[in-house]
Amino acid sequence: MALDTRRAGRARAVLLTSPAWNGRTATTMVIGLAVAQIPLGILALQGATVWQSGVGSNLEVGRALVASLSGPAGLALLVATVIVAPMVEELLYRGYLLGTLVDRGWRVAAVLVSAFLFVTLHFEPANLVASLCLGLGTGICALRTRSIVPGLLVHIASNAFGMWYAPLAG
């Protein structure tokens, strides 16, 4: 990828550009984050989040995650989950894939295709809807700003929230 993006025009083609930091970009990021958090919002409205239900079996997953975050290996897991994975995923799914499809005129289809393929990477039954919503939210950001940066920030925030959510369960 590093060699590819050094070719003339490739960084722009794969949305590796800085967005216009203005109200439109901020609004787009808020919309993207709201779409990404739809599943958690639905659970919260139903009183079914881990911290609302307090069910012991639901708390075990959060406790296991918190226990795995201690020490140097835990810090590496945190950095990989919150920063590295979003960077790689946004470059591939929203940069290369969505950027290429948008250049071919497939604007809405580009968001949908990149989101559905993003789900295949996160194919865990419990996270299918959450992954789809995150893919749609970050796809909207990439489409509206012509940059992966706003969607990357939304993705990082979403993953960080997921890591923050686990300690609340314990």
Side-chain angles (χ1 to χ4, degrees):
M1 282 189 273
L3 293 175
D4 179 50
T5 56
R6 290 173 67 187
R7 292 188 351 225
R10 284 301 292 161
R12 185 179 171 286
V14 296
L15 310 180
L16 278 176
T17 58
S18 181
W21 292 109
N22 55 28
R24 177 182 163 91
T25 299
T27 301
T28 298
M29 289 175 66
V30 169
I31 291 168
L33 191 56
V35 169
Q37 297 304 314
I38 286 173
L40 183 58
I42 291 169
L43 288 174
L45 288 172
Q46 295 174 343
T49 62
V50 170
W51 65 82
Q52 288 170 320
S53 70
V55 176
S57 61
N58 291 346
L59 299 176
E60 293 309 313
V61 173
R63 288 185 182 127
L65 181 57
V66 171
S68 72
L69 293 177
S70 61
L75 179 60
L77 175 64
L78 183 67
V79 169
T81 301
V82 175
I83 298 179
V84 176
M87 289 174 67
V88 172
E89 292 167 1
E90 290 308 310
L91 181 60
L92 293 175
Y93 289 93
R94 261 55 75 185
Y96 276 92
L97 179 60
L98 186 138
T100 300
L101 294 175
V102 166
D103 281 347
R104 294 180 182 189
W106 297 17
R107 296 176 53 80
V108 174
V111 172
L112 295 174
V113 167
S114 71
F116 279 109
L117 289 176
F118 179 71
V119 168
T120 65
L121 179 68
H122 300 86
F123 201 80
E124 302 162 10
N127 292 326
L128 290 177
V129 174
S131 296
L132 179 61
C133 289
L134 179 59
L136 291 171
T138 56
I140 290 166
C141 288
L143 182 65
R144 286 182 49 120
T145 65
R146 294 291 295 161
S147 172
I148 64 168
V149 176
L152 172 62
L153 296 174
V154 165
H155 196 150
I156 287 171
S158 186
N159 283 14
F161 183 74
M163 298 303 279
W164 169 76
Y165 172 78
L168 290 178

